[in-house]
Amino acid sequence: MIERILPEAAASSEVFGDDPHARLLPGEEQYVARAVEKRRREFTLARSCARRALGDLGHPDFAVHSGERREPLWPRGVVGSITHCKDYCAAAVAPATEMCSLGIDAETDEALPDGVLGQVTVERERELLAGLPAGTNWDRLLFSAKESVYKAWFPLTGRWLGFEDAFVRIDPSGEFRAELIEAPAPSSVGELTGFSGRFRFESGLVITAVTVFSG
């Protein structure tokens, strides 16, 4: 499913429900040594998906460590992203020669809990959401889009990006655009002004992907 919103250069892997064959490599155990079973299982599934995706790029047994903000640390020359929500986990990776950064996110296809929309959007976004066709959880999509934007943003800048720092405009055909509200941000690929992404509703989920291409 996730591959349908990713470029051809990306490799991906996903799991619906559980995977009895999922395991951690010795270098990954340290990050969940004291975690509760639910968190440990999510982490294990995510790392297992990551290794399957990395296998397509020639790194099948790479231990994916975590950075200071729990971001996955990929092999040299690889960019990627991981996501998990209830009964679903996915990872996507790509050669750094093809992409500078990649962010994916998955959420359950249901409305955001009461009070959350106001915390993750700006007023203009809420106005645009109100004008979209009824019957779709656009609020959840917008939340997911901002999560994907952050996952693509952080590896390029090493900086925090709040929900209020990016303005997302949704095209119901399956694409979105996120513009940075503040001045352009310096990054490893020059000044960033925004991101483009794709989305899909399927199997009770909303999934989003943001890619920043090299060159």
Side-chain angles (χ1 to χ4, degrees), residues 8 13 36 44 48 54 60 69 84 86 91 95 102 107 109 132 147 159-160 179 186 191 202:
E8 289 186 5
S13 176
V36 299
T44 301
S48 181
L54 285 170
R69 296 194 179 180
H84 55 76
K86 182 180 179 183
L102 171 63
E107 305 286 335
D109 183 7
L132 292 172
E147 289 287 317
R159 295 167 48 196
W160 174 257
E179 302 289 346
E191 287 193 342
E202 186 176 338

Side-chain angles (χ1 to χ4, degrees), residues 1-3 5-7 10-14 46 49-50 53 72 74 79-85 88-93 99 101-107 143-153 176 197-198 206-211:
M1 181 173 71
I2 191 75
E3 74 278 0
I5 58 171
L6 291 169
S12 63
S13 176
E14 62 190 357
C49 280
W74 303 102
V79 299
S81 183
I82 292 172
T83 186
H84 55 76
C85 64
Y88 181 77
C89 179
V93 295
M99 297 178 207
S101 192
L102 171 63
I104 63 171
D105 185 70
E107 305 286 335
F143 176 86
S144 180
K146 290 196 174 186
E147 289 287 317
S148 284
V149 165
Y150 177 75
K151 292 177 183 179
W153 154 277
F176 61 89
R198 300 176 66 193
V206 54
I207 53 173
T208 56
V210 168
T211 49

